[in-house]
Amino acid sequence: VTKQGGSTPSYADILDYDHTTAPSGGFLIQQNGSSLNQYAMWWWNGDWQGISPTTTLATSTPQIFTIVKSGTNQAAFVNGTQSFSTTVPGTMQPNAPRAFHVGGSAIGRYFNGDIAEVLVYNRALTTKERQQVEPALNNRYFDDDDFCSCSWEMQHLGMLVYGPNDDPGGVGRTLQQSYLQSLSPWLSPTIPSGLQAWYRADQGAIVDGNNKVSQWTDLSGNGAHTRQATAASRPAAIASGIGGKPALRFDGSATILR
């Protein structure tokens, strides 16, 4: 997941698997020389392969860039749409494990832009698998008509872990329906006017594997979520607390959410 800056140097590398260390080997995703915004995956099998064709990545536009080499086929995709498919030699020589370089290589070749996420597999993903990964990345990073706005999710939920068909607040509609209807994904307060923050132990309390609360989500829609990164300082989630209803239990010495 990347967004190019305005001017990228010649041979700029998004990802480089130590191809510059002798003996030759490895692979890289690199701008093709001084051909601005033209990227390909190069790899070694006694000589460099995959140099062409290339894929154009637009400047200053976030994109999901995928390259899949499966046997003698190499294909590239931008935001899930295929940009090319070509026949290549079947064998790769990736070298013994050394090191990945992101945003450049051991000899420079620095990439100018943003990189949000990189996934590298030791096998070719199937079409079905790729079509699962790309929408997941799209849902995580981008706003579009098919998924909820990331900024809206962060405001109301404080995280980007829910799918469009989830109903985290139990309101009887999907997250996507709440978003498209400009409704809160949580239950409505008795008096909404002037409400700045709202925390309920039975709604929006995110627990870890030890039943300790790592985030208490603000249900008001104002994004005032409270969190605790340190496990030892997290309050406990109590299923039957005040009035037999869920509550958070603070120990009076170290537990706090902020």
Side-chain angles (χ1 to χ4, degrees):
V1 181
T2 182
K3 180 176 73 172
Q4 282 212 120
S7 178
T8 297
S10 179
Y11 291 106
D13 292 3
I14 294 176
L15 177 71
D16 188 309
Y17 183 63
D18 214 10
H19 89 280
T20 60
T21 305
S24 293
F27 61 88
L28 61 155
I29 297 175
Q30 182 184 80
Q31 180 177 270
N32 187 14
S34 58
S35 300
L36 188 63
N37 304 343
Q38 301 295 313
Y39 284 84
M41 185 177 82
W42 303 10
W43 46 272
W44 183 261
N45 77 334
D47 196 0
W48 289 107
Q49 307 290 338
I51 297 173
S52 62
T54 60
T55 293
T56 301
L57 296 182
T59 301
S60 302
T61 301
Q63 294 153 102
I64 301 169
F65 183 36
T66 306
I67 297 181
V68 179
K69 182 186 181 302
S70 178
T72 58
N73 177 262
Q74 184 165 306
F77 306 82
V78 178
N79 295 337
T81 299
Q82 183 172 291
S83 59
F84 74 77
S85 177
T86 188
T87 300
V88 295
T91 303
M92 292 180 67
Q93 298 175 15
N95 270 346
R98 291 187 184 136
F100 283 104
H101 299 77
V102 180
S105 73
I107 58 172
R109 297 181 173 177
Y110 300 112
F111 174 75
N112 175 21
D114 299 343
I115 300 174
E117 187 165 339
V118 178
L119 296 94
V120 181
Y121 292 88
N122 66 355
R123 62 179 180 86
L125 295 187
T126 66
T127 298
K128 182 178 180 180
E129 289 174 327
R130 178 182 58 79
Q131 290 174 344
Q132 292 173 325
V133 170
E134 289 163 337
L137 293 171
N138 182 79
N139 195 32
R140 188 172 303 145
Y141 293 104
F142 304 113
D143 298 344
D144 65 21
D145 293 334
D146 296 323
F147 299 99
C148 304
S149 158
C150 294
S151 59
W152 181 88
E153 288 190 73
M154 289 302 297
Q155 178 183 350
H156 287 277
L157 305 167
M159 54 181 60
L160 301 174
V161 299
Y162 297 101
N165 296 317
D166 290 338
D167 180 9
V171 294
R173 58 180 176 268
T174 67
L175 200 63
Q176 185 180 19
Q177 288 171 334
S178 292
Y179 170 64
L180 294 175
Q181 296 173 40
S182 299
L183 299 172
S184 170
W186 303 108
L187 299 173
S188 300
T190 304
I191 302 294
S193 178
L195 185 66
Q196 295 300 298
W198 184 21
Y199 308 103
R200 280 181 54 161
D202 63 342
Q203 295 274 311
I206 309 302
V207 299
D208 61 20
N210 296 314
N211 208 41
K212 300 296 183 67
V213 177
S214 60
Q215 174 182 299
W216 207 356
T217 306
D218 173 22
L219 310 185
S220 74
N222 293 315
H225 314 299
T226 60
R227 300 179 175 90
Q228 180 52 261
T230 304
S233 298
R234 293 170 179 169
I238 307 301
S240 183
I242 300 171
K245 303 293 185 181
L248 273 60
R249 182 161 294 167
F250 297 80
D251 63 9
S253 62
T255 53
I256 186 172
L257 294 168
R258 50 190 163 199

